[in-house]
Amino acid sequence: MKDILESLLETLAQGRDAVFCGIVESSGSAPRTSGARMLVLPGGGIRGSVGGGPVEGASLARARKMLERGESHVLLPFDLNSHTAAQAGMVCGGAVKVLLQRVTPECRGFFEKLKDLHDARQRPALVTVMGPERALALALWSEATGLDGAELPEGMALELARKASKTRQNFSLEGDGLRVFAEPLVAPTVLHLVGAGHVALATAKVAAFAGFEVVVMDDRAEFASTERYPEAREVRVLENFNQCLKDLGPDDYVVIVTRGHMHDRDVLAQALRTEAGYVGMIGSRSKRDAVYRSLLENGYTQADIDRVFCPIGLTIGADTPEEIAVSIVGEMIGVRAGVQG
């Protein structure tokens, strides 16, 4: 979404219109879920995707016509039943609705505010309000601003705020003749890799590819270096592992892969004193049990222990550092999506 916003703002700054396309409803085995976004630029260039195939092709063609005709918005339904999907060479089915909105330079301030809130990690939500006779309004929500750009019935506004403050997933609300589609714009999850050995090296590559921002730390300068970790946002060389983790929130994930059990134990103790959304530690069950006993003897609770993913990663028979990295990142993706944990 960040790249789409940047391209949109650049286009609006040039005094030109663009068309913002988004899947606002999906069912069955549709190729992309609600919230997939595509931007159609003057001249026909695109950023993002609404799933490829006939959905994207038809949306692109209609968006180009909208730019020519000056239309404000169009809601395109697609029924991808098995026969239609097979004709298009697709194996998926289901149905989607794509909302196409022409965005004019007058909207530049709105999208600048949305991007500023996103860059500040304020977790804003882009809100589309569809009213009677397909009247349409764009609004944004954040804890700092409340709902800005539209008015909703009190109950619906409260439900919007409750969901938007907690979820990473897109959602819809309906009532009083209104349909509200909300798309939380959550900043990338930050992965804190504590330890910079072979497993960390592979995990950093896979995690960055999957959209995580990577921070690497170790007390060995020859391991923790930007040359070894070019994809990392930050590489830290520590004097020791004491107090290497603090002030972490739900959008911070911790993977503990140091070179020794005692380091792992001490780092885990730090991680459990934060609000990190994911805490994983590599190691065997016997190592895990010894570390857990030590923590319980030092004031940690079973509820603390239950937060830890150990042995780390999905159970896929991973053996090599690269396979272990895939299993770890797969587990983190599941937690991030709310389906694992």
Side-chain angles (χ1 to χ4, degrees):
M1 188 61 171
K2 182 179 180 181
D3 291 342
I4 290 177
L5 283 176
E6 289 176 349
S7 294
L8 175 60
L9 286 171
E10 181 180 347
T11 301
L12 299 180
Q14 295 168 355
R16 300 188 296 169
D17 296 356
V19 175
F20 209 35
C21 310
I23 294 179
V24 295
E25 185 177 314
S26 64
S27 62
S29 302
R32 291 292 298 275
T33 58
S34 296
R37 284 286 183 183
M38 179 175 73
L39 180 69
V40 181
L41 301 170
I46 64 172
R47 301 289 185 273
S49 174
V50 287
V55 173
E56 192 156 301
S59 298
L60 177 59
R62 192 69 178 85
R64 288 170 174 165
K65 289 183 179 179
M66 289 177 65
L67 288 171
E68 293 172 2
R69 300 172 181 174
E71 296 172 290
S72 63
H73 63 275
V74 174
L75 186 65
L76 295 181
F78 295 90
D79 182 9
L80 301 174
N81 58 52
S82 57
H83 177 68
T84 304
Q87 286 183 326
M90 304 171 69
V91 296
C92 55
V96 298
K97 290 184 180 179
V98 182
L99 180 65
L100 282 63
Q101 302 163 268
R102 186 168 61 90
V103 182
T104 66
E106 289 75 21
C107 300
R108 181 181 171 188
F110 172 87
F111 284 100
E112 284 179 339
K113 186 173 184 179
L114 182 67
K115 183 177 182 299
D116 288 345
L117 288 166
H118 180 254
D119 290 346
R121 307 182 77 89
Q122 293 294 310
R123 302 171 66 99
L126 177 61
V127 180
T128 304
V129 181
M130 291 169 275
E133 300 179 1
R134 295 190 177 181
L136 191 72
L138 274 178
L140 64 85
W141 178 93
S142 74
E143 290 187 345
T145 64
L147 183 63
D148 185 4
E151 292 187 3
L152 295 176
E154 183 179 2
M156 185 175 284
L158 289 172
E159 182 66 4
L160 171 68
R162 186 188 69 81
K163 286 191 172 183
S165 64
K166 293 182 178 181
T167 184
R168 302 179 63 95
Q169 307 301 314
N170 306 297
F171 61 90
S172 297
L173 302 172
E174 293 188 48
D176 296 316
L178 299 174
R179 171 109 187 267
V180 176
F181 178 73
E183 181 181 357
L185 275 64
V186 181
T189 302
V190 179
L191 168 60
H192 302 264
L193 275 169
V194 190
H198 299 308
V199 170
L201 186 64
T203 301
K205 289 180 170 60
V206 178
F209 186 70
F212 292 86
E213 289 189 354
V214 178
V215 174
V216 181
M217 61 193 82
D218 202 304
D219 61 351
R220 300 168 293 176
E222 66 272 24
F223 283 81
S225 68
T226 54
E227 290 76 21
R228 270 172 57 84
Y229 289 90
E231 62 284 298
R233 185 189 77 181
E234 179 183 357
V235 179
R236 297 167 54 195
V237 179
L238 309 171
E239 289 187 14
N240 53 60
F241 290 101
N242 296 335
Q243 299 182 349
C244 64
L245 297 174
K246 56 183 178 179
D247 300 326
L248 304 185
D251 293 328
D252 292 288
Y253 287 13
V254 177
V255 169
I256 303 168
V257 283
T258 76
R259 65 183 183 279
H261 290 190
M262 288 307 300
H263 292 316
D264 286 351
R265 184 264 181 214
D266 292 343
V267 173
L268 180 58
Q270 295 174 50
L272 293 179
R273 291 303 188 213
T274 73
E275 296 181 0
Y278 171 94
V279 178
M281 182 178 69
I282 200 166
S284 65
R285 287 179 171 80
S286 59
K287 166 193 167 178
R288 174 198 64 188
D289 293 345
V291 168
Y292 287 178
R293 281 195 302 271
S294 173
L295 293 178
L296 290 170
E297 290 168 359
N298 284 271
Y300 287 81
T301 67
Q302 188 60 47
D304 293 326
I305 300 301
D306 291 343
R307 292 176 56 195
V308 186
F309 288 81
C310 184
I312 198 171
L314 300 176
T315 305
I316 58 173
D319 183 39
T320 67
E322 292 77 15
E323 292 172 346
I324 294 169
V326 169
S327 74
I328 291 172
V329 176
E331 187 171 73
M332 293 193 304
I333 290 171
V335 172
R336 185 173 63 180
V339 299
Q340 184 80 21

